[in-house]
């Protein structure tokens, strides 16, 4: 079985949208008003443009993303920040950024803590007690089967290694 990074990135975005849809803590800015879907349905229109842009100004592909304790967490990822983009190497990131979704005028906060290494293009899942779980991905030097859980409670960041993929 081969791994296709774009599929992982698309699945991570889909899981983020589904997670946002199922989460009531959004400060009223990211969820469109409308009729309530049937119970158990995790589908709603989400206006990601209502959120402030990430501070790097370049955007990220394949970042770890999800909700943890009322915060949107974005970590790792990759991009082509140098120009001309088609003649430069991809840059892999290990930064961790959080956005407090309950604060109406909050901006992104880049944490002083970083991931153990740059990583992107894995699968991200928001879990109610473990925070954001990152499964597999690419480090720029190859694929990894590592699994980790990340939580941010507004004060501190916790990173927990979980059993790796087989």
């Amino acid at each position: 079985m081969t791994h296709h990074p774009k599929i992982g990135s698309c699945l991570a975005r889909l899981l983020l949208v589904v997670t946002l849809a199922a989460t009531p803590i959004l400060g009223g800015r990211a969820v469109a008003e409308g009729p309530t879907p049937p119970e158990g349905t995790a589908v709603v229109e989400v206006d990601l443009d209502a959120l402030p842009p990430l501070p790097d100004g370049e955007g990220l592909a394949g970042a770890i993303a999800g909700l943890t304790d009322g915060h949107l967490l974005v970590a790792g990822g990759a991009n082509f920040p140098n120009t001309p983009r088609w003649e430069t190497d991809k840059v892999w990131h290990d930064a961790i950024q959080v956005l407090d979704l309950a604060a109406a005028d909050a901006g992104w906060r880049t944490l002083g803590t970083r991931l153990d290494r740059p990583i992107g293009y894995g699968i991200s899942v928001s879990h109610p007690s473990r925070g954001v779980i990152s499964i597999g991905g690419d480090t720029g030097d190859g694929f990894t089967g590592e699994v980790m859980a990340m939580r941010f409670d507004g004060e501190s960041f916790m990173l927990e290694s979980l059993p790796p993929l087989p």
Side-chain angles (χ1 to χ4, degrees):
M1 176 179 194
T2 61
H3 171 80
H4 194 280
K6 289 185 180 183
I7 292 173
S9 179
C10 290
L11 287 173
R13 279 188 234 132
L14 174 64
L15 289 172
L16 173 62
V17 170
V18 169
T19 302
L20 286 171
T23 304
I25 306 172
L26 290 175
R29 24 175 230 216
V31 177
E33 297 296 322
T36 305
E39 186 174 330
T41 304
V43 177
V44 71
E45 290 181 42
V46 176
D47 182 7
L48 294 177
D49 292 329
L51 300 175
L54 288 168
D56 71 0
E58 293 294 330
L60 290 168
I64 299 163
L67 295 177
T68 172
D69 294 316
H71 294 83
L72 179 57
L73 180 141
V74 175
N79 62 11
F80 292 90
N82 303 312
T83 56
R85 296 185 199 293
W86 57 91
E87 295 177 11
T88 62
D89 291 332
K90 182 183 283 190
V91 176
W92 297 84
H93 300 279
D94 60 0
I96 303 165
Q97 301 173 64
V98 294
L99 177 66
D100 184 348
L101 294 173
D105 294 329
W108 287 98
R109 177 176 159 194
T110 302
L111 302 181
T113 305
R114 301 180 92 69
L115 297 174
D116 293 338
R117 62 181 167 170
I119 190 168
Y121 301 105
I123 300 296
S124 304
V125 179
S126 296
H127 186 274
S129 63
R130 296 248 187 193
V132 180
I133 299 174
S134 173
I135 305 167
D138 191 346
T139 65
D141 293 324
F143 299 112
T144 180
E146 71 183 59
V147 179
M148 59 186 154
M150 295 170 272
R151 287 198 59 201
F152 181 74
D153 62 9
E155 301 280 327
S156 59
F157 177 79
M158 286 99 14
L159 177 67
E160 175 186 6
S161 291
L162 299 173
L165 295 172

